[in-house]
């Protein structure tokens, strides 16, 4: 690469020099000695990309060194929780939309508003992605990429059965209308059973003008909505539109390798737009993606551009300022953006996105275009979910299985779930 | 050493024998304790201290992010009055223990009796039968089990040969727990080895006397073998019951940590794990752990109390 000092690097360099000057007799290298601890969840591909960015940052900031650690999503949270409790959390750590309220309310993440425009550059950062990092009006986390829910589609299955690929206009009724033709060849169902899938439910609720949660962390739907939801799926199940309960239960954790599309049970599966690469890696058939089905023809607004994950800064860190600078570099530096690609979702800074777009491979392009061109499918970003949302989601899965296995009627399950969800939220609210 | 003795002397000047007593103890045992020190540090630091802090935490609402607050008996009250998942996990665990332990012990005893007939290559059979126990708690076996019993797994392919359409063993709530029980029974190796050792202890002259009196094999088993084996049965039953209550890995792996379908494999320990590490209710999870301890203690205690009515100690 040619020497290319842009405005930011120049500014950072001069900050370091200024700091060195302020320290008097110390040499610049010593003065700039900064050691950050970084922690995130994800696989090896993400680690390689993240480390490459840290190395770029070290090159631009002599004296910068870092410790890194990464974990699978499920292992990440217990460990982070333990470290926060022990007062030795990393300086910079990844944060999820699901947990941000909990961490912000407990003062475990640094409010970043005072740094914006100074060490934190958000000049051409997507507004909805900035909003996504806010809790109670204060900015606590910087989005590392936007994504959206998306339906993975096995194109070979559709072609083999002579069914046109689903379009953005397809509603659940359209999937139902094509189900028999698709299944006639090889017995694959056209849909996975989405009744226990929280994003599928949320998408459907939003198209009906409801929400999973309201801005003040209350439930945004009624028992009747859920009864109708469970009924719709009971109907789809009975008609052979979606996979049976025995098959759906194999997908216990929504890990890519146990989803219905990967197991060859269904021609589509509920997922996220940034997962196309991951799904394609373990699927022999050619995949594409499309929006979640419409609740009925013409209904829109179910999708939203979700911050796929954030960087947050530890307020107890001795190096808050330095940590913020690192985060700012991470989301703004163009060479870093090229290294990161769309692995964490679509970059939120426009100048990074513009530089990245022409370099992307076909599936990455698909991902970028999907998130950028949601059109009438796009609705407002819902408020960040309340602290106990994860538990409600788990309970939804169990409840949907009760209906699918015939242990409970849609009416009973819908009413019971409304009550259970409320109980879970109440219990969490009592705590804080 | 001398400093220690001297300070003891100062502390109790009235008793002249004391210093020499303590210094004698120290000279005799001191180095021993010194060598044991690493173990003591581990025992108190890594075992006793966490156990005691978990007892304290069980009376708090600790969530890992904020300091624990004292909530008194709330966790325990909730468990027994307002927690359907607690009763469900208890039901699943009791079913698991009630079926897996007797089945496993009978299986182990049966194989031990077969192996006790002095056949050729006994050490090889012993090793082969013991193998599953060594592997049993491992993640690899649970994954293997998951694959074997999947809807289109080897088990159903085998059944298909006989024209039987097997169910989805692990993803159907009617069969999932039984699949786990089968996995537990398959790991009969360690009780088998102990039974085998017990069988070797039974004096041969008793068998001779019984057969001279005209007892058939069945009668000999019930009247000689089993009564003399009861101490070993007792030992195995207690160990396996405790193991059963503690069982975690198979359910965790096979259900992907969820305890599903429909909470049918929600083992007590799995529920405890979810509360602690999925929902961060460390206080509640600690309370669950102490209730489990109490339950296991009650089961063991009752076994000991009743043992004198059926365990025959020959001495």
């Amino acid at each position: 690469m040619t020497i290319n000092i842009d405005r930011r690097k120049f500014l950072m360099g001069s900050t370091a020099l200024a700091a060195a000057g302020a320290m008097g007799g110390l040499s610049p290298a010593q003065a700039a000695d900064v050691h950050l601890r970084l922690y995130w969840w994800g696989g090896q591909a993400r680690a390689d990309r993240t480390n490459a960015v840290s190395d770029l940052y070290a090159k631009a900031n002599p004296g910068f060194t870092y410790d890194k650690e990464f974990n699978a999503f499920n292992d990440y949270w217990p460990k982070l929780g333990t470290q926060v409790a022990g007062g030795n959390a990393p300086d910079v750590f990844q944060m999820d939309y699901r947990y941000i309220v909990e961490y912000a309310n407990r003062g475990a993440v640094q409010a970043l508003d005072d740094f914006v425009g100074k060490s934190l550059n958000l000049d051409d950062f997507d507004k909805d992605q900035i909003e996504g990092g806010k809790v109670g009006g204060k900015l606590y986390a910087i989005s590392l990429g936007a994504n959206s829910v998306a339906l993975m589609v096995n194109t070979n299955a559709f072609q083999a059965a002579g069914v046109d690929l689903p379009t953005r206009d397809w509603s659940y009724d359209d999937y139902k209308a094509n189900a028999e033709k698709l299944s006639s060849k090889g017995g694959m169902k056209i849909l996975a059973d989405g009744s226990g899938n929280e994003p599928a439910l949320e998408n459907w609720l939003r198209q009906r003008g409801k929400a999973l949660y309201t801005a003040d962390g209350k439930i945004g739907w009624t028992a009747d909505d859920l009864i109708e939801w469970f009924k719709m799926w009971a109907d789809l199940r009975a008609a052979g539109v979606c996979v049976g309960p025995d098959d759906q239960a194999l997908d216990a954790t929504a890990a890519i390798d146990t989803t219905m599309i990967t197991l060859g049970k269904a021609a589509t599966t509920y997922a996220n737009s940034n997962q196309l690469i991951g799904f394609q890696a373990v699927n022999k058939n050619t995949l594409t993606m499309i929006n979640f089905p419409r609740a009925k023809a013409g209904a829109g607004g179910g999708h939203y551009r979700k911050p796929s994950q954030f960087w947050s800064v530890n307020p107890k860190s001795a190096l808050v300022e330095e940590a913020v600078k690192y985060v700012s570099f991470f989301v703004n530096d163009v060479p870093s953006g090229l290294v990161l690609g769309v692995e964490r979702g679509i970059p939120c800074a426009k100048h990074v996105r513009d530089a990245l777009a022409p370099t992307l491979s076909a599936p990455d392009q698909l991902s970028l275009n999907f998130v950028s061109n949601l059109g009438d499918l796009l609705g407002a970003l819902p408020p960040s979910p309340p602290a106990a949302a994860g538990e409600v989601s788990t309970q939804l899965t169990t409840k949907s299985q009760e209906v699918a296995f015939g242990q409970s009627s849609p009416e009973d399950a819908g009413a019971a779930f409304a009550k259970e969800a409320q109980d879970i939220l109440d219990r969490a609210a009592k705590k804080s | 050493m001398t400093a220690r003795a001297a300070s003891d002397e100062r502390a109790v000047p009235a008793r002249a024998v004391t210093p020499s007593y303590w210094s004698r103890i120290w000279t005799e045992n001191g180095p021993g304790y010194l060598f044991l020190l690493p173990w003591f540090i581990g025992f108190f630091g890594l075992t006793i201290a966490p156990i005691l802090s978990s007892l304290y935490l069980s009376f708090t609402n600790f969530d890992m992010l904020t300091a624990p607050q004292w909530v008194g008996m709330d966790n325990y009250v909730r468990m027994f009055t307002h927690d359907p998942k607690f009763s469900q996990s208890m039901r699943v665990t009791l079913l698991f223990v009630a079926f897996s332990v007797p089945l496993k012990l009978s299986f182990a005893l049966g194989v031990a009796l077969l192996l006790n007939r002095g056949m050729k290559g006994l050490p090889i059979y012993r090793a082969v039968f013991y193998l599953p126990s060594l592997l049993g708690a491992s993640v690899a076996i649970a994954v293997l089990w998951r694959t074997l019993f999947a809807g289109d797994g080897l088990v159903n392919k085998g059944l298909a040969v006989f024209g039987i359409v097997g169910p989805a063993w692990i993803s159907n709530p009617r069969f999932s727990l039984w699949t786990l029980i089968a996995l537990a029974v398959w790991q009969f190796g360690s009780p088998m080895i102990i039974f085998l050792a017990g069988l070797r202890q039974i004096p041969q002259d008793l068998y001779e006397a019984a057969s001279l009196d005209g007892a058939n094999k069945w009668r000999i088993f019930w009247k000689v073998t089993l009564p003399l084996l009861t101490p070993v049965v007792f030992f195995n039953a207690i160990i396996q019951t405790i193991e059963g209550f503690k069982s975690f890995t198979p359910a965790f792996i096979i259900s992907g940590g969820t305890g599903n379908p429909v909470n049918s494999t929600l083992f007590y320990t799995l529920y405890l794990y979810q509360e602690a590490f999925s929902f961060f209710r460390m206080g509640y999870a600690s309370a669950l752990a102490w209730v489990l301890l109490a339950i296991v203690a009650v089961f063991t205690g009752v076994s000991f109390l009743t043992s004198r009515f059926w365990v025959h100690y020959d001495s």
Side-chain angles (χ1 to χ4, degrees):
Chain A
M1 212 174 64
T2 52
I3 298 172
N4 176 7
I5 298 180
D6 65 17
R7 180 168 48 90
R8 256 171 318 282
K9 276 184 191 156
F10 178 77
L11 275 176
M12 268 169 206
S14 36
T15 321
L17 279 176
M23 306 284 267
L26 294 174
S27 76
Q30 276 171 317
D33 268 359
V34 169
H35 185 81
L36 289 184
R37 279 172 59 213
L38 315 170
Y39 186 36
W40 66 90
W41 71 82
Q44 190 59 46
R46 178 168 301 166
D48 293 342
R49 293 166 193 227
T50 310
N51 294 339
V53 173
S54 298
D55 292 339
L56 284 172
Y57 186 70
K59 211 178 270 176
N61 296 272
F64 173 81
T65 51
Y66 62 96
D67 268 336
K68 76 240 175 202
E69 198 179 346
F70 62 98
N71 247 337
F73 186 82
N74 284 340
D75 301 327
Y76 178 87
W77 296 101
K79 179 146 192 180
L80 182 63
T82 314
Q83 292 187 339
V84 168
N88 60 342
D91 301 300
V92 179
F93 50 85
Q94 228 167 264
M95 183 47 58
D96 185 61
Y97 203 49
R98 164 146 289 154
Y99 289 100
I100 186 170
V101 172
E102 197 163 351
Y103 273 76
N105 286 346
R106 292 182 181 152
V109 282
Q110 172 72 41
L112 300 169
D113 305 81
D114 294 345
F115 300 94
V116 177
K118 295 171 199 148
S119 45
L120 181 57
N121 171 12
L122 297 178
D123 289 349
D124 61 351
F125 210 81
D126 290 340
K127 292 286 167 286
D128 59 349
Q129 297 301 303
I130 298 179
E131 284 306 310
K134 286 186 178 174
V135 177
K138 280 169 105 178
L139 182 64
Y140 285 101
I142 302 302
S143 172
L144 297 179
N147 70 355
S148 161
V149 293
L151 208 61
M152 298 293 143
V153 180
N154 175 347
T155 58
N156 301 57
F158 279 86
Q159 278 152 13
V163 179
D164 290 339
L165 286 177
T167 69
R168 56 180 285 128
D169 296 322
W170 276 32
S171 67
Y172 277 103
D173 287 336
D174 294 310
Y175 282 90
K176 192 177 175 183
N178 285 288
E180 203 178 329
K181 197 171 171 196
L182 187 110
S183 302
S184 65
K185 200 91 172 183
M188 212 183 263
K189 304 292 184 196
I190 201 167
L191 286 174
D193 186 336
S195 60
N197 183 295
E198 189 205 51
L201 170 64
E202 178 180 39
N203 192 272
W204 181 83
L205 284 171
R206 284 165 57 87
Q207 294 184 46
R208 295 156 54 91
K210 301 285 180 76
L212 263 189
Y213 299 104
T214 62
D216 52 353
K218 301 238 164 53
I219 286 170
W221 42 269
T222 64
D224 288 340
D225 293 314
L226 258 285
I227 291 170
E228 199 175 322
W229 170 252
F230 284 141
K231 268 187 176 161
M232 176 180 94
W233 280 103
D235 174 45
L236 293 174
R237 213 174 285 123
V241 179
C242 72
V243 301
D246 286 356
D247 285 338
Q248 185 61 48
L250 292 171
D251 183 18
T253 54
I256 288 176
D257 49 349
T258 58
T259 50
M260 292 300 104
I261 199 169
T262 309
L263 295 179
K265 307 280 186 192
T268 63
T269 249
Y270 294 89
N272 292 303
S273 59
N274 63 330
Q275 290 180 302
L276 181 63
I277 309 161
F279 270 90
Q280 188 61 73
V282 295
N283 272 275
K284 285 196 290 286
N285 296 304
T286 307
L287 305 186
T288 184
M289 64 183 165
I290 197 74
N291 48 286
F292 277 11
R294 293 178 190 257
K296 54 175 184 288
H303 292 65
Y304 55 90
R305 288 158 38 95
K306 180 191 170 225
S308 70
Q309 52 212 276
F310 305 94
W311 276 138
S312 276
V313 170
N314 175 11
K316 298 202 174 100
S317 164
L319 298 164
V320 170
E321 178 80 30
E322 299 295 334
V324 173
K325 267 193 221 163
Y326 173 85
V327 171
S328 184
F329 178 87
F330 201 94
V331 295
N332 282 304
D333 182 57
V334 170
S336 300
L338 295 181
V339 167
L340 291 168
V342 295
E343 197 271 333
R344 278 184 168 93
I346 310 304
C348 307
K350 187 168 181 303
H351 68 274
V352 176
R353 204 161 52 227
D354 291 346
L356 182 64
T359 70
L360 290 175
S361 66
D364 285 350
Q365 285 279 7
L366 194 63
S367 180
L368 182 85
N369 290 336
F370 181 78
V371 179
S372 310
N373 301 316
L374 283 165
D376 75 312
L377 296 161
L378 184 69
L381 184 72
S384 33
E391 199 179 350
V392 176
S393 166
T394 306
Q395 190 56 27
L396 173 67
T397 305
T398 305
K399 224 65 205 169
S400 74
Q401 289 180 340
E402 278 182 21
V403 180
F405 282 110
Q407 296 183 1
S408 188
S409 68
E411 288 80 6
D412 291 348
F417 179 64
K419 192 179 162 300
E420 286 160 1
Q422 190 59 53
D423 278 353
I424 292 169
L425 293 189
D426 288 348
R427 186 181 181 191
K430 204 172 76 181
K431 160 85 199 182
S432 52
Chain B
M1 269 183 243
T2 46
R4 167 80 186 274
S7 73
D8 282 338
E9 197 173 7
R10 265 201 310 280
V12 274
R15 287 157 71 182
V17 286
T18 314
S20 68
Y21 173 78
W22 281 114
S23 64
R24 205 176 64 235
I25 292 280
W26 178 248
T27 332
E28 280 175 13
N29 300 339
Y33 285 118
L34 213 58
F35 279 116
L36 279 174
L37 198 62
W39 184 85
F40 274 124
I41 292 172
F43 181 67
F44 286 103
L46 301 176
T47 306
I48 296 289
I51 286 177
L52 290 179
S53 54
S54 106
L55 180 61
Y56 162 69
L57 289 176
S58 76
F59 296 102
T60 69
N61 61 3
F62 187 45
D63 64 357
M64 299 218 292
L65 286 182
T66 38
Q69 290 168 320
W70 187 263
V71 295
M73 295 298 288
D74 278 12
N75 289 333
Y76 293 94
V77 170
R78 179 187 173 85
M79 219 179 286
F80 291 102
T81 59
H82 195 65
D83 189 354
K85 271 182 118 178
F86 169 77
S87 34
Q88 169 67 9
S89 69
M90 194 56 101
R91 203 180 68 85
V92 169
T93 307
L94 287 175
L95 262 176
F96 176 76
V97 171
F99 283 93
S100 71
V101 173
L103 283 173
K104 188 186 205 173
L105 291 186
S106 335
F107 216 69
L109 181 57
V111 176
L113 285 168
L114 283 176
L115 290 183
N116 194 34
R117 299 198 307 192
M119 56 176 80
K120 265 192 191 155
L122 175 64
I124 295 173
Y125 287 115
R126 216 162 41 196
V128 168
F129 284 124
Y130 188 60
L131 210 56
S133 289
L134 290 177
L135 302 171
S138 78
V139 171
I141 291 297
V143 171
L144 173 73
W145 216 250
R146 195 186 157 96
T147 318
L148 279 177
F149 282 90
D152 47 4
L154 209 57
V155 171
N156 280 351
K157 281 186 182 144
L159 288 176
V161 172
F162 304 100
I164 303 168
V165 181
W169 296 101
I170 54 169
S171 59
N172 188 315
R174 273 166 61 207
F175 303 103
S176 48
L177 181 60
W178 297 101
T179 313
L180 289 174
I181 290 174
L183 173 59
V185 173
W186 178 63
Q187 294 153 23
F188 60 85
S190 72
M192 178 202 73
I193 294 281
I194 298 168
F195 276 134
L196 208 48
L199 288 171
R200 293 288 169 84
Q201 303 270 312
I202 300 173
Q204 282 300 315
D205 49 342
L206 289 178
Y207 287 116
E208 279 166 28
S211 52
L212 281 178
D213 288 341
N216 63 18
K217 280 190 174 161
W218 190 241
R219 208 169 154 79
I220 291 178
F221 172 75
W222 283 107
K223 294 292 176 187
V224 179
T225 311
L226 201 56
L228 289 175
L229 209 55
T230 45
V232 180
V233 174
F234 177 59
F235 173 80
N236 271 337
I238 290 203
I239 296 292
Q240 293 306 322
T241 306
I242 294 174
E243 287 292 311
F245 276 110
K246 277 167 55 190
S247 184
F248 173 77
T249 315
F252 181 79
I253 301 292
I254 287 177
S255 75
T258 61
N260 279 336
V262 206
N263 289 331
S264 60
T265 61
L266 187 69
F267 281 18
Y268 192 92
T269 49
L270 185 52
Y271 178 50
L272 194 161
Y273 175 88
Q274 286 182 354
E275 285 291 305
F277 296 108
S278 302
F279 308 136
F280 304 124
R281 287 191 281 261
M282 285 293 163
Y284 195 67
S286 300
L288 284 171
W290 279 87
V291 169
L292 178 64
L293 179 77
I295 291 167
V296 173
V298 165
F299 268 82
T300 314
V302 168
S303 308
F304 269 100
L305 285 177
T306 56
S307 69
R308 61 197 175 101
F309 300 112
W310 63 275
V311 177
H312 177 83
Y313 288 104
D314 177 59
S315 53

